[in-house]
Amino acid sequence: MTADQRVPLVAMHGITKRFGAIEALVDVDLHVHAHEVVALVGDNGAGKSTLAKMISGVLQPDAGMIEIGGEEVALPSPQAAHALGVATVFQDLALCDNLDVTANLYLGRELRSRFARDDGRMEESARRVLRELKSRIPSARTPLRNLSAGQRQAVAIARTLIGNPRIIVLDEPTGALSVAHTAEVLTHVQRLRDLGLGVILISHNMNDVRAVADRIEVLRHGRNNGTFDAATASYEDVLAAITGAVPLGRRTSSRHIAG
């Protein structure tokens, strides 16, 4: 492993966020490397989505530090995060049924030639991204309203690849999907890892987590409460950290993956 490979794509140190008297996050640490899927799990209100919004520039921490590629950064806006290689898919997907796949991929950042929108270049790029993701979407010109729920999620994931990101944050990507569509989306998550990206997967579904994650990070009441090797950790150990059956604190499995 080279020195560059040991540097996380993103590292969060001592992140704290308060909303009035409510402590949403307290002294939270998280790191993600290239070619790694890190699952962020915890009960409702554990702070998972708040942490995702910190990485995505939607919210700013009250205390702590964020590093990208080993450099301390400020993420005052989603645009700033995107410029540094962070792309996020939130649960609402933010897609438009009346547009086709290509138009959804480039919504708000359309390519232009000298005099007009460059539809040909956007479609060519959309086809390339769908191939990279190994998507089953039949055509880059298919209207979104004709796609299944799993294919819509694939469009949202494919949109993150426009602009060559380094870090992808997926917030409950399989939350409302059937078993077949879930399997399709999990294949896309694995493909993102194969492409060399760092992936943060927020999920309530432990089967999904164990299927694709390399490491599991547990949040409880806004605090770190466990780090587990997804390949070897037992369901019972992870569940105990989520529910509080073990003391609140930095609980680490015997097969912890070192950062």
Side-chain angles (χ1 to χ4, degrees):
M1 183 178 289
T2 68
D4 286 342
Q5 288 174 318
R6 289 194 298 269
V7 175
L9 290 178
V10 61
M12 308 181 79
H13 307 283
I15 298 297
T16 295
K17 182 66 177 179
R18 298 179 181 87
F19 298 100
I22 298 172
E23 292 184 321
L25 296 170
V26 180
D27 198 28
V28 170
D29 296 333
L30 178 71
H31 66 271
V32 182
H33 290 80
H35 293 283
E36 183 178 38
V37 177
V38 176
L40 193 61
V41 305
D43 211 343
N44 290 333
K48 306 182 300 296
S49 291
T50 300
L51 193 65
K53 289 176 181 178
M54 299 281 180
I55 302 169
S56 306
V58 176
L59 295 173
Q60 288 71 49
D62 295 322
M65 178 176 68
I66 301 175
E67 295 177 332
I68 292 182
E71 299 289 333
E72 183 176 356
V73 298
L75 302 175
S77 68
Q79 292 77 14
H82 189 267
L84 289 169
V86 181
T88 306
V89 179
F90 290 111
Q91 293 182 54
D92 63 5
L93 300 187
L95 301 174
C96 295
D97 278 354
N98 62 318
L99 300 178
D100 64 19
V101 172
T102 297
N104 270 283
L105 293 188
Y106 277 95
L107 188 62
R109 46 186 170 178
E110 292 82 0
L111 301 179
R112 302 190 68 83
S113 62
R114 184 176 177 184
F115 299 109
R117 192 176 64 185
D118 195 337
D119 291 330
R121 190 153 58 103
M122 287 191 292
E123 184 173 352
E124 181 181 354
S125 176
R127 288 199 302 266
R128 175 184 57 77
V129 168
L130 293 173
R131 284 196 303 271
E132 287 181 349
L133 201 57
K134 297 186 177 178
S135 167
R136 296 179 181 178
I137 294 171
S139 167
R141 284 300 180 188
T142 303
L144 195 79
R145 61 177 172 269
N146 294 345
L147 299 182
S148 68
Q151 289 172 326
R152 289 170 184 242
Q153 186 67 247
V155 172
I157 293 173
R159 186 172 58 187
T160 68
L161 296 177
I162 302 296
N164 299 315
R166 294 185 284 175
I167 303 141
I168 307 291
V169 182
L170 302 175
D171 192 359
E172 298 285 0
T174 63
L177 301 183
S178 68
V179 172
H181 292 157
T182 292
E184 183 178 353
V185 170
L186 294 180
T187 298
H188 297 329
V189 175
Q190 292 172 318
R191 183 59 182 156
L192 293 176
R193 175 176 55 202
D194 293 343
L195 291 171
L197 304 176
V199 181
I200 298 172
L201 172 66
I202 299 173
S203 180
H204 281 91
N205 191 312
M206 286 305 301
N207 290 328
D208 294 354
V209 165
R210 290 164 66 86
V212 298
D214 300 294
R215 178 159 43 88
I216 302 170
E217 293 285 348
V218 178
L219 291 182
R220 177 168 168 76
H221 298 323
R223 294 170 169 83
N224 292 111
N225 203 43
T227 300
F228 300 88
D229 181 338
T232 60
S234 71
Y235 177 84
E236 291 76 16
D237 281 348
V238 178
L239 186 62
I242 292 172
T243 61
V246 294
L248 194 65
R250 187 75 176 174
R251 187 191 188 284
T252 306
S253 74
S254 60
R255 293 294 302 278
H256 167 61
I257 302 175

